Amino acid sequence: MPDYIHLLPDAIANQIAAGEVIQRPASAVKELLENAIDAGSTEIQLIISDAGKALIQVVDNGCGMSETDARMSFERHATSKIKTAEDLFNIRSMGFRGEALASIAAISHVELKTRKHEDPLGTRIVIEGSEVIAQEACQCNPGTSIAIKNLFYNTPARRNFLKSKTVETRHILDEFQRIALAHPNISFRVLNNNIETYHLLPGNMRKRIVGVFGSNYNERLVPVEESTSVINITGFIGKPDFAKKTRGEQYFFVNNRYIKSPYLNHAIVNAFEDLIPSSAYPLYVLMLDIDPARIDINVHPTKQEIKFEDERIIYAYLRSAVKRALGHHSLTPTLDFEREPGITDFLKSRKPSDSGYAGQASPGGPFQATQTAKPTQKETQAWQELYAISRNKDKQTITLQSNWDKPEPGLAIEMENTQVVPYQLHKRLIISPIKSGMIIIDQQAAHERVLYERFMAAFGDKPIASQQQLFPKKLELNTADFELLKDLHTEINRMGFDIQAFGGNDFVVHGIPVDITEMNIQEVIEGILEQFKQHNESMADTPRNNLARALASQACIKTGQGLSAKEMIALMDELFACQEFYKAPNGRQTFISISLDELRSQFDKKE
Ligand code: ADP
Ligand code: MG
């Protein structure tokens, strides 16, 4: 009997492999985008038409390929990403199997143009069904462009299996979103049937999430950060109130690779516990960074599932990171107005201040959204104390609820017709009596908070007026700062500045925000740029956030500045109208409160 086993011709082998790797147009999109990322690109363009059936093209500015590499790239098992078996345990690239281009070329018409940055000319290769039709030198931009036409032209079964254009386009955009979220520092553009559907500029994670999902997502995000010896977790979860009725907007990335993991998903759902109904799905975009040796990516052909060395530890870290983030988030004043009528009264009774710090609109603003989470006991207490101040002011009385000499609580000494006068201590602290004792406010931290929220509001619907300067001030900046200010000055101007480019490396300041009295504008602007650079690099914050924070810290009342009683009262008013009055934007506490009981116990101490 003759031997009858033979090797399959490459074209057929590739076509079979394609069945696994390229299931639909979206799979080809994924492979091309990942190749562009592996090539170190900073700008990537995705062009599709007719849901990818007519054209899928990816243009990148990555390393490009030499003529030989360009040809090699279409061979099966041709990859530049691993060389030895050990490399398999240290994979940081997206691809490594060397199958994608060979598979795609087996089932479509491909045109590749590629040029290494250092080469004067590039290479153009045209392949149809694994067969090279043309190969020649060509003029092209550095980087790589791969265009796939007529996908599945020779595999009718696969072609007929495709869903409607809407569905296939959705799949493509889903893949795109995952990749764009995983690489916030890469700029992406998508043209779908000649219409630009995305143009994402490089930035931090928050900016990318907002770019992908829409600007109203900014306020929905709660940052998550956990770093341990095994794993680093960063990213965002959605506030519980915004959990959706349908799944989606749930992303895990392990070493920048999108993965599906019902097990890890459970860790998150578990952390949200009672905060959302079981029928709701919270948003999350979480990046897990882990030593590649601790994971096995090679489980699933399209690499969406991976194995962890110890999944249970990761589960535990993830759950605790999310819980902690939620805990921090719920620290913001979330008051149940139903239960605390006093607080509503307090808010209603407040008017915009008429003092030197005026400008913050009436307090209803930040609290208008109905918040139902329970306030912590401490928060409620703080508000009750403040409520006492406000009521006393209205009645022009001061109520010292003293039990210095009488042990029974509730015995008050009333001083009619006396305004509560705060006291400034060492030009840094403001001391004021409250019903239960006293509060001590750090003037700098407090004013920083007030300005920060005012500046943030300026980006919304509360613009800050600018007071024109009698003598416009020229700013002299180095080129880097000039460029940065050029990018930022429109935003800065929204906060009440009037800064215009002047020529050379100079800007001129025509106006500064009202209510900011003294400042060395050159120093302030340089300070803003400095802080902006620092924060923008180190923190998952939006640029606006950074800007408001930087400006607040530069322009606020500093320790060492004397304040009149009127100014102190205004500052206190403004502080407690803030959304997060208890801390400065940098996290420092703005005030402490000491109860009479605490004070008394100090006196009661015996030798
Ligand atoms: P893999 O990505 O698994 O290595 P592919 O078939 O996707 O396999 O690609 C084969 C090889 O072609 C890659 O290893 C890489 O060297 C090269 N390549 C593919 N796309 C690009 C690109 N956009 N820029 C530079 N090189 C590329
Ligand atoms: Mg690849």
Side-chain angles (χ1 to χ4, degrees), residues 31-41 58-66 69-70 72-82 93-104 112-114 143-146 303:
E31 294 296 337
L32 295 189
L33 289 176
E34 289 188 345
N35 280 347
I37 288 165
D38 285 343
S41 313
V58 170
V59 184
D60 69 49
N61 67 348
C63 61
M65 286 179 268
S66 69
D69 283 345
M72 269 298 278
S73 69
F74 290 100
E75 295 294 325
R76 201 138 71 96
H77 306 306
T79 180
S80 54
K81 297 167 196 173
I82 56 172
S93 58
M94 297 288 111
F96 58 90
R97 290 160 171 264
E99 282 178 326
L101 289 188
S103 302
I104 290 170
L112 164 78
K113 282 187 194 162
T114 185
T144 302
S145 153
I146 300 189
K303 296 166 291 205

Side-chain angles (χ1 to χ4, degrees), residues 26-59:
S27 337
V29 168
K30 171 174 184 279
E31 294 296 337
L32 295 189
L33 289 176
E34 289 188 345
N35 280 347
I37 288 165
D38 285 343
S41 313
T42 56
E43 280 171 29
I44 299 175
Q45 221 185 124
L46 168 65
I47 302 161
I48 48 179
S49 68
D50 203 9
K53 292 177 210 172
L55 173 72
I56 297 170
Q57 183 175 11
V58 170
V59 184

Side-chain angles (χ1 to χ4, degrees), residues 242-300:
F242 294 101
K244 293 255 168 97
K245 292 264 172 344
T246 52
R247 199 182 283 278
E249 300 179 355
Q250 299 191 323
Y251 299 85
F252 284 122
F253 298 97
V254 174
N255 299 346
N256 291 0
R257 181 192 302 281
Y258 171 78
I259 61 144
K260 285 191 177 140
S261 170
Y263 181 69
L264 295 186
N265 175 65
H266 188 268
I268 304 216
V269 172
N270 190 288
F272 270 85
E273 260 180 336
D274 319 325
L275 294 174
I276 54 170
S278 57
S279 58
Y281 298 92
L283 169 150
Y284 58 83
V285 181
L286 294 171
M287 323 288 292
L288 317 186
D289 204 50
I290 189 166
D291 179 353
R294 286 177 178 269
I295 51 178
D296 177 4
I297 307 171
N298 204 3
V299 178
H300 193 277

Side-chain angles (χ1 to χ4, degrees), residues 310-328:
D310 193 342
E311 220 170 20
R312 277 182 320 185
I313 293 183
I314 311 236
Y315 182 101
Y317 280 137
L318 200 56
R319 182 170 168 278
S320 91
V322 172
K323 259 188 168 310
R324 215 147 44 88
L326 285 168
H328 275 298

